[in-house]
PDB file of all heavy atoms in Angstrom:
ATOM      1  N   THR A 549       1.615  14.863 -35.874  1.00 98.00           N
ATOM      2  CA  THR A 549       2.167  13.866 -36.809  1.00 98.00           C
ATOM      3  C   THR A 549       1.790  14.211 -38.244  1.00 98.00           C
ATOM      4  O   THR A 549       2.368  13.674 -39.186  1.00 98.00           O
ATOM      5  CB  THR A 549       1.648  12.443 -36.510  1.00 98.00           C
ATOM      6  OG1 THR A 549       0.214  12.435 -36.689  1.00 98.00           O
ATOM      7  CG2 THR A 549       2.008  11.978 -35.108  1.00 98.00           C
ATOM      8  N   GLY A 550       0.790  15.076 -38.393  1.00 98.00           N
ATOM      9  CA  GLY A 550       0.342  15.433 -39.741  1.00 98.00           C
ATOM     10  C   GLY A 550      -0.429  14.317 -40.421  1.00 98.00           C
ATOM     11  O   GLY A 550      -0.790  14.418 -41.587  1.00 98.00           O
ATOM     12  N   ALA A 551      -0.668  13.236 -39.687  1.00 98.00           N
ATOM     13  CA  ALA A 551      -1.290  12.061 -40.302  1.00 98.00           C
ATOM     14  C   ALA A 551      -2.670  11.771 -39.734  1.00 98.00           C
ATOM     15  O   ALA A 551      -3.191  10.674 -39.885  1.00 98.00           O
ATOM     16  CB  ALA A 551      -0.377  10.850 -40.106  1.00 98.00           C
ATOM     17  N   VAL A 552      -3.253  12.763 -39.072  1.00 98.00           N
ATOM     18  CA  VAL A 552      -4.570  12.533 -38.477  1.00 98.00           C
ATOM     19  C   VAL A 552      -5.636  13.272 -39.295  1.00 98.00           C
ATOM     20  O   VAL A 552      -5.617  14.498 -39.394  1.00 98.00           O
ATOM     21  CB  VAL A 552      -4.591  12.982 -36.996  1.00 98.00           C
ATOM     22  CG1 VAL A 552      -5.993  12.893 -36.422  1.00 98.00           C
ATOM     23  CG2 VAL A 552      -3.621  12.140 -36.180  1.00 98.00           C
ATOM     24  N   GLU A 553      -6.535  12.510 -39.886  1.00 98.00           N
ATOM     25  CA  GLU A 553      -7.584  13.118 -40.715  1.00 98.00           C
ATOM     26  C   GLU A 553      -8.664  13.751 -39.853  1.00 98.00           C
ATOM     27  O   GLU A 553      -9.272  14.748 -40.213  1.00 98.00           O
ATOM     28  CB  GLU A 553      -8.223  12.053 -41.618  1.00 98.00           C
ATOM     29  CG  GLU A 553      -7.493  11.804 -42.923  1.00 98.00           C
ATOM     30  CD  GLU A 553      -6.031  11.445 -42.752  1.00 98.00           C
ATOM     31  OE1 GLU A 553      -5.752  10.462 -42.044  1.00 98.00           O
ATOM     32  OE2 GLU A 553      -5.174  12.155 -43.300  1.00 98.00           O
ATOM     33  N   MET A 554      -8.897  13.115 -38.704  1.00 98.00           N
ATOM     34  CA  MET A 554      -9.983  13.615 -37.862  1.00 98.00           C
ATOM     35  C   MET A 554      -9.724  13.265 -36.405  1.00 98.00           C
ATOM     36  O   MET A 554      -9.258  12.167 -36.102  1.00 98.00           O
ATOM     37  CB  MET A 554     -11.312  12.991 -38.306  1.00 98.00           C
ATOM     38  CG  MET A 554     -12.519  13.446 -37.500  1.00 98.00           C
ATOM     39  SD  MET A 554     -14.041  12.672 -38.084  1.00 98.00           S
ATOM     40  CE  MET A 554     -14.368  13.631 -39.556  1.00 98.00           C
ATOM     41  N   MET A 555     -10.003  14.226 -35.529  1.00 98.00           N
ATOM     42  CA  MET A 555      -9.994  13.918 -34.101  1.00 98.00           C
ATOM     43  C   MET A 555     -11.397  14.166 -33.582  1.00 98.00           C
ATOM     44  O   MET A 555     -11.945  15.256 -33.734  1.00 98.00           O
ATOM     45  CB  MET A 555      -8.978  14.781 -33.346  1.00 98.00           C
ATOM     46  CG  MET A 555      -8.892  14.400 -31.872  1.00 98.00           C
ATOM     47  SD  MET A 555      -7.716  15.393 -30.933  1.00 98.00           S
ATOM     48  CE  MET A 555      -6.219  14.469 -31.113  1.00 98.00           C
ATOM     49  N   VAL A 556     -11.978  13.117 -33.001  1.00 97.00           N
ATOM     50  CA  VAL A 556     -13.340  13.200 -32.490  1.00 97.00           C
ATOM     51  C   VAL A 556     -13.257  13.358 -30.980  1.00 97.00           C
ATOM     52  O   VAL A 556     -12.729  12.486 -30.285  1.00 97.00           O
ATOM     53  CB  VAL A 556     -14.135  11.916 -32.848  1.00 97.00           C
ATOM     54  CG1 VAL A 556     -15.569  12.019 -32.334  1.00 97.00           C
ATOM     55  CG2 VAL A 556     -14.115  11.681 -34.351  1.00 97.00           C
ATOM     56  N   ILE A 557     -13.727  14.484 -30.484  1.00 97.00           N
ATOM     57  CA  ILE A 557     -13.603  14.755 -29.054  1.00 97.00           C
ATOM     58  C   ILE A 557     -14.965  14.719 -28.373  1.00 97.00           C
ATOM     59  O   ILE A 557     -15.989  15.029 -28.986  1.00 97.00           O
ATOM     60  CB  ILE A 557     -12.918  16.120 -28.787  1.00 97.00           C
ATOM     61  CG1 ILE A 557     -13.635  17.254 -29.544  1.00 97.00           C
ATOM     62  CG2 ILE A 557     -11.452  16.067 -29.176  1.00 97.00           C
ATOM     63  CD1 ILE A 557     -13.033  18.636 -29.294  1.00 97.00           C
ATOM     64  N   ASP A 558     -14.975  14.285 -27.113  1.00 95.00           N
ATOM     65  CA  ASP A 558     -16.218  14.384 -26.352  1.00 95.00           C
ATOM     66  C   ASP A 558     -16.004  15.242 -25.110  1.00 95.00           C
ATOM     67  O   ASP A 558     -15.942  16.462 -25.233  1.00 95.00           O
ATOM     68  CB  ASP A 558     -16.825  12.984 -26.068  1.00 95.00           C
ATOM     69  CG  ASP A 558     -15.877  11.995 -25.422  1.00 95.00           C
ATOM     70  OD1 ASP A 558     -15.778  12.009 -24.199  1.00 95.00           O
ATOM     71  OD2 ASP A 558     -15.237  11.193 -26.139  1.00 95.00           O
ATOM     72  N   VAL A 559     -15.850  14.637 -23.952  1.00 96.00           N
ATOM     73  CA  VAL A 559     -15.744  15.461 -22.741  1.00 96.00           C
ATOM     74  C   VAL A 559     -14.516  15.102 -21.912  1.00 96.00           C
ATOM     75  O   VAL A 559     -14.052  13.968 -21.964  1.00 96.00           O
ATOM     76  CB  VAL A 559     -16.991  15.305 -21.833  1.00 96.00           C
ATOM     77  CG1 VAL A 559     -18.207  15.943 -22.456  1.00 96.00           C
ATOM     78  CG2 VAL A 559     -17.261  13.841 -21.502  1.00 96.00           C
ATOM     79  N   GLN A 560     -14.033  16.057 -21.157  1.00 97.00           N
ATOM     80  CA  GLN A 560     -12.984  15.928 -20.134  1.00 97.00           C
ATOM     81  C   GLN A 560     -11.583  15.675 -20.712  1.00 97.00           C
ATOM     82  O   GLN A 560     -11.400  14.792 -21.532  1.00 97.00           O
ATOM     83  CB  GLN A 560     -13.327  14.807 -19.149  1.00 97.00           C
ATOM     84  CG  GLN A 560     -14.638  15.034 -18.402  1.00 97.00           C
ATOM     85  CD  GLN A 560     -15.142  13.789 -17.711  1.00 97.00           C
ATOM     86  OE1 GLN A 560     -14.382  12.903 -17.414  1.00 97.00           O
ATOM     87  NE2 GLN A 560     -16.444  13.745 -17.459  1.00 97.00           N
ATOM     88  N   CYS A 561     -10.645  16.459 -20.200  1.00 98.00           N
ATOM     89  CA  CYS A 561      -9.220  16.323 -20.517  1.00 98.00           C
ATOM     90  C   CYS A 561      -8.900  16.663 -21.971  1.00 98.00           C
ATOM     91  O   CYS A 561      -7.827  16.343 -22.483  1.00 98.00           O
ATOM     92  CB  CYS A 561      -8.685  14.936 -20.162  1.00 98.00           C
ATOM     93  SG  CYS A 561      -8.970  14.518 -18.441  1.00 98.00           S
ATOM     94  N   VAL A 562      -9.841  17.302 -22.659  1.00 97.00           N
ATOM     95  CA  VAL A 562      -9.639  17.724 -24.040  1.00 97.00           C
ATOM     96  C   VAL A 562      -9.108  19.160 -23.998  1.00 97.00           C
ATOM     97  O   VAL A 562      -9.800  20.064 -23.525  1.00 97.00           O
ATOM     98  CB  VAL A 562     -10.969  17.673 -24.817  1.00 97.00           C
ATOM     99  CG1 VAL A 562     -10.771  18.184 -26.233  1.00 97.00           C
ATOM    100  CG2 VAL A 562     -11.535  16.260 -24.819  1.00 97.00           C
ATOM    101  N   MET A 563      -7.904  19.382 -24.489  1.00 97.00           N
ATOM    102  CA  MET A 563      -7.323  20.726 -24.389  1.00 97.00           C
ATOM    103  C   MET A 563      -7.937  21.676 -25.412  1.00 97.00           C
ATOM    104  O   MET A 563      -8.044  21.322 -26.593  1.00 97.00           O
ATOM    105  CB  MET A 563      -5.814  20.658 -24.635  1.00 97.00           C
ATOM    106  CG  MET A 563      -5.043  20.020 -23.511  1.00 97.00           C
ATOM    107  SD  MET A 563      -3.282  20.250 -23.799  1.00 97.00           S
ATOM    108  CE  MET A 563      -2.624  19.253 -22.476  1.00 97.00           C
ATOM    109  N   PRO A 564      -8.301  22.864 -24.976  1.00 96.00           N
ATOM    110  CA  PRO A 564      -8.841  23.832 -25.931  1.00 96.00           C
ATOM    111  C   PRO A 564      -7.827  24.215 -27.011  1.00 96.00           C
ATOM    112  O   PRO A 564      -8.192  24.722 -28.064  1.00 96.00           O
ATOM    113  CB  PRO A 564      -9.205  25.033 -25.057  1.00 96.00           C
ATOM    114  CG  PRO A 564      -8.602  24.798 -23.728  1.00 96.00           C
ATOM    115  CD  PRO A 564      -8.310  23.350 -23.601  1.00 96.00           C
ATOM    116  N   SER A 565      -6.563  23.930 -26.750  1.00 97.00           N
ATOM    117  CA  SER A 565      -5.511  24.259 -27.722  1.00 97.00           C
ATOM    118  C   SER A 565      -5.594  23.403 -28.984  1.00 97.00           C
ATOM    119  O   SER A 565      -4.965  23.737 -29.995  1.00 97.00           O
ATOM    120  CB  SER A 565      -4.152  24.034 -27.079  1.00 97.00           C
ATOM    121  OG  SER A 565      -3.995  22.649 -26.794  1.00 97.00           O
ATOM    122  N   LEU A 566      -6.349  22.306 -28.937  1.00 97.00           N
ATOM    123  CA  LEU A 566      -6.359  21.379 -30.074  1.00 97.00           C
ATOM    124  C   LEU A 566      -6.738  22.079 -31.376  1.00 97.00           C
ATOM    125  O   LEU A 566      -6.180  21.790 -32.436  1.00 97.00           O
ATOM    126  CB  LEU A 566      -7.335  20.226 -29.815  1.00 97.00           C
ATOM    127  CG  LEU A 566      -6.900  19.206 -28.763  1.00 97.00           C
ATOM    128  CD1 LEU A 566      -7.988  18.174 -28.547  1.00 97.00           C
ATOM    129  CD2 LEU A 566      -5.594  18.536 -29.154  1.00 97.00           C
ATOM    130  N   ALA A 567      -7.677  23.008 -31.262  1.00 96.00           N
ATOM    131  CA  ALA A 567      -8.123  23.710 -32.476  1.00 96.00           C
ATOM    132  C   ALA A 567      -6.955  24.474 -33.104  1.00 96.00           C
ATOM    133  O   ALA A 567      -6.811  24.508 -34.330  1.00 96.00           O
ATOM    134  CB  ALA A 567      -9.266  24.664 -32.127  1.00 96.00           C
ATOM    135  N   GLN A 568      -6.117  25.066 -32.250  1.00 96.00           N
ATOM    136  CA  GLN A 568      -4.981  25.838 -32.767  1.00 96.00           C
ATOM    137  C   GLN A 568      -3.974  24.926 -33.468  1.00 96.00           C
ATOM    138  O   GLN A 568      -3.424  25.274 -34.506  1.00 96.00           O
ATOM    139  CB  GLN A 568      -4.286  26.596 -31.619  1.00 96.00           C
ATOM    140  CG  GLN A 568      -5.177  27.566 -30.877  1.00 96.00           C
ATOM    141  CD  GLN A 568      -6.005  28.435 -31.820  1.00 96.00           C
ATOM    142  OE1 GLN A 568      -5.474  29.016 -32.765  1.00 96.00           O
ATOM    143  NE2 GLN A 568      -7.311  28.490 -31.583  1.00 96.00           N
ATOM    144  N   VAL A 569      -3.742  23.756 -32.883  1.00 97.00           N
ATOM    145  CA  VAL A 569      -2.800  22.816 -33.497  1.00 97.00           C
ATOM    146  C   VAL A 569      -3.398  22.252 -34.793  1.00 97.00           C
ATOM    147  O   VAL A 569      -2.725  22.172 -35.823  1.00 97.00           O
ATOM    148  CB  VAL A 569      -2.438  21.670 -32.525  1.00 97.00           C
ATOM    149  CG1 VAL A 569      -1.383  20.757 -33.135  1.00 97.00           C
ATOM    150  CG2 VAL A 569      -1.930  22.231 -31.207  1.00 97.00           C
ATOM    151  N   ALA A 570      -4.677  21.908 -34.725  1.00 97.00           N
ATOM    152  CA  ALA A 570      -5.337  21.308 -35.897  1.00 97.00           C
ATOM    153  C   ALA A 570      -5.306  22.266 -37.085  1.00 97.00           C
ATOM    154  O   ALA A 570      -5.185  21.845 -38.239  1.00 97.00           O
ATOM    155  CB  ALA A 570      -6.775  20.933 -35.542  1.00 97.00           C
ATOM    156  N   LYS A 571      -5.402  23.565 -36.785  1.00 96.00           N
ATOM    157  CA  LYS A 571      -5.390  24.586 -37.842  1.00 96.00           C
ATOM    158  C   LYS A 571      -4.093  24.567 -38.649  1.00 96.00           C
ATOM    159  O   LYS A 571      -4.067  24.980 -39.798  1.00 96.00           O
ATOM    160  CB  LYS A 571      -5.551  25.968 -37.201  1.00 96.00           C
ATOM    161  CG  LYS A 571      -6.864  26.605 -37.517  1.00 96.00           C
ATOM    162  CD  LYS A 571      -6.866  28.105 -37.377  1.00 96.00           C
ATOM    163  CE  LYS A 571      -6.463  28.607 -36.009  1.00 96.00           C
ATOM    164  NZ  LYS A 571      -6.942  29.926 -35.688  1.00 96.00           N
ATOM    165  N   CYS A 572      -3.012  24.109 -38.042  1.00 97.00           N
ATOM    166  CA  CYS A 572      -1.719  24.052 -38.730  1.00 97.00           C
ATOM    167  C   CYS A 572      -1.625  22.833 -39.649  1.00 97.00           C
ATOM    168  O   CYS A 572      -0.617  22.650 -40.336  1.00 97.00           O
ATOM    169  CB  CYS A 572      -0.581  24.006 -37.715  1.00 97.00           C
ATOM    170  SG  CYS A 572      -0.612  25.348 -36.521  1.00 97.00           S
TER     171      CYS A 572
END
Side-chain angles (χ1 to χ4, degrees):
T549 62
V552 174
E553 275 55 57
M554 180 180 283
M555 184 180 270
V556 181
I557 54 178
D558 53 86
V559 290
Q560 300 165 23
C561 304
V562 177
M563 288 189 187
S565 65
L566 288 177
Q568 301 314 311
V569 184
K571 249 202 303 203
C572 305

